[in-house]
Amino acid sequence: MNKEEELLAIRKLVFELTIASHSGSDLDSLLDNLFTILNSLPDLPLEQRGAVMLLNPRGRYFQVAQFGMSPSWETPMQWQSSAFGNPQVAHCCQTEDILFTDTDCPQGALARMLLLPLHIEQQGKGYIVLFTPTNYTLNPVHADFFNDLARALSGLVQRSLINETLCIRELELEEARTEAIRSLGVASEYRDNETGWHIMRMTNFAQAIAKALHLPEDDRELLYIAAPMHDVGKIGIADAVLLKPGKLTPEEYEVMKSHAEIGAKILAGNDALIKAARDIAGSHHERWDGKGYPLGLAGENIPLLARICAVADVFDALTSTRPYKEPWPVDTAHDWVLSEAGKHFDPAVVRAFDDAMPEILRIRELYRDDIIDPKQVLTLPPIRRRENVWISWDDNLNVGIDTIDEHHRYLFDLINDLYAVVVNKRGTRQVARLIRSLDAYAKIHFRAEEQMMSHYAYDGIGRQLHQHHAFEEKIGEFYDELHINPLVAQFDVLAYMRDWLIHHIRVEDAQLASLARN
């Protein structure tokens, strides 16, 4: 290959890669297209395998894409070489031998890498790794070709980073709007006798019912955001009625009922999220038989999300302690909801509620008002365990406190959700959502754990507080890193979550068992 042929090949390669990678975000597809084109150049002695290795802000390389190789989450293969031990990315292509060790070849197998440096705005971001025969030597013509190719690939990787970063920015704009709407729900909560845990339980109950109804994911997302708005209209109810500890008079009850109309008026607008919140706030007290309020809607004239929230809201209210009442037993409340199918509630929603009961009972334990009792034995119905998970729950991880173990299982589920988003390439937007969900639930778990430790005077609470706060800071760092290099941050956070949680359970939380023995 002479210089003219090299330039023609580069132009052809860049053009074809640009066309083939028009979506700009999937580096596995970029590698696939790259090898398809390189295979048409017979002068290049390349093996049919390669990878993209990108740096995180702490100078560690992550395998974020591959061709003809196992992904990083499926193999313990280590990339141990001088190039990957140095956070300074080389300026020119180079070859380097590496000894791969994995479960299939524990003694190691020698391979020769051709490293194409990726530089974006004069900063080294990592390498595209191609493999060659072990006797391959990079000659001057090939060196020129691959250096030009590295510059072209750097531009395509930059485009991928920009596209994914734009998705994060769009998500943040949506979340800013969502937080503004949720703040209304928080305001109504502070004026009521109900607790923040009621809002969280009711919202998650509604999600469990929606899943059992097989609602589309977009509708479930709207429900999750809008459900906390269900009682926003209580902002407009006088304290004498809203905070009355005893039974309301008929006149006071009519005033209280007006919160549904007030909520619908507050949430005026045509935006999909506002409309969903308005439907829920204005219609979650309607009844299937038409005897509800404020409009006396019946059957499917009641918005579906409101029908779901009606069941979720009533079930949690029945089974929760209030200043004016004792909680119903869960079985009694469950049976009552079933008996109201076709009268108070949509029969289809009630069936979904019944199907979702294992998950609903689990949610009640995860978002509980009271201090965790280390000696309490949970008798929750089994939940259908997912198949092909990344990290499986091992009973050896049980710390001997049932509620804490259930918290940990739920954190495992969230990490497996994150894994599914990453490996199925659902995009940085979904990664960001799950990191936020993990962060939010970890805080709930930590505060509940800390409240228990403080109440029972646990000696190791200082260590736990330090580790909890360090974890929360780390998750915040990962979320920030999504803005800098979203292509590597998702792999970075995935590995950290798994390793930190398992280590923390086995080393720190295992010692909590002493509380159950005392």
Side-chain angles (χ1 to χ4, degrees), residues 111-126:
R112 179 156 295 179
M113 302 182 296
L114 175 59
L115 302 173
L116 279 60
L118 299 170
H119 289 270
I120 297 174
E121 296 178 352
Q122 300 182 334
Q123 290 187 344
K125 295 295 184 180

Side-chain angles (χ1 to χ4, degrees), residues 399-472:
V399 302
I401 300 175
D402 282 8
T403 303
I404 297 298
D405 290 335
E406 201 59 46
H407 280 222
H408 290 161
R409 289 189 190 95
Y410 187 66
L411 285 168
F412 269 52
D413 286 348
L414 288 174
I415 293 173
N416 282 317
D417 287 343
L418 178 61
Y419 163 79
V421 165
V422 172
V423 302
N424 292 312
K425 305 174 189 175
R426 294 178 190 161
T428 306
R429 182 188 184 89
Q430 290 300 319
V431 171
R433 287 190 189 282
L434 273 168
I435 289 177
R436 293 290 289 269
S437 295
L438 269 161
D439 180 50
Y441 186 72
K443 286 182 169 70
I444 290 167
H445 164 62
F446 290 156
R447 301 299 87 82
E449 210 172 48
E450 290 159 10
Q451 189 180 32
M452 177 192 70
M453 289 187 283
S454 176
H455 181 80
Y456 290 98
Y458 177 62
D459 290 341
I461 189 172
R463 291 193 315 274
Q464 288 271 8
L465 285 167
H466 174 75
Q467 293 185 21
H468 291 173
H469 293 156
F471 178 87
E472 291 169 24

Side-chain angles (χ1 to χ4, degrees), residues 297-308:
L297 300 178
E300 294 187 358
N301 289 325
I302 305 168
L304 177 57
L305 299 188
R307 285 179 258 153
I308 293 170

Side-chain angles (χ1 to χ4, degrees), residues 344-362:
H344 195 133
F345 304 120
D346 177 351
V349 173
V350 171
R351 286 194 296 273
F353 162 80
D354 192 35
D355 291 342
M357 274 307 290
E359 182 64 21
I360 287 171
L361 293 178
R362 184 191 196 195

Side-chain angles (χ1 to χ4, degrees), residues 218-236:
D218 288 347
D219 290 343
R220 296 203 308 268
E221 185 175 326
L222 277 177
L223 174 63
Y224 188 78
I225 296 169
M229 302 298 103
H230 68 292
D231 277 340
V232 68
K234 288 183 178 179
I235 288 174

Side-chain angles (χ1 to χ4, degrees), residues 467-515:
Q467 293 185 21
H468 291 173
H469 293 156
F471 178 87
E472 291 169 24
E473 289 178 5
K474 194 72 173 177
I475 298 306
E477 288 177 16
F478 284 131
Y479 191 79
D480 291 340
E481 285 174 22
L482 283 174
H483 300 74
I484 302 169
N485 191 339
L487 299 177
V488 70
Q490 56 188 303
F491 294 92
D492 202 352
V493 69
L494 200 58
Y496 174 82
M497 289 280 192
R498 175 192 61 186
D499 296 343
W500 186 92
L501 182 57
I502 291 175
H503 179 268
H504 184 73
I505 291 172
R506 285 181 170 157
V507 174
E508 282 296 337
D509 284 353
Q511 300 179 51
L512 294 173
S514 63
L515 296 178

Side-chain angles (χ1 to χ4, degrees), residues 317-339:
L318 292 175
T319 55
S320 298
T321 301
R322 294 287 182 268
Y324 49 84
K325 77 168 191 69
E326 292 297 317
W328 286 23
V330 169
D331 289 345
T332 303
H334 168 263
D335 292 344
W336 182 85
V337 170
L338 296 189
S339 73

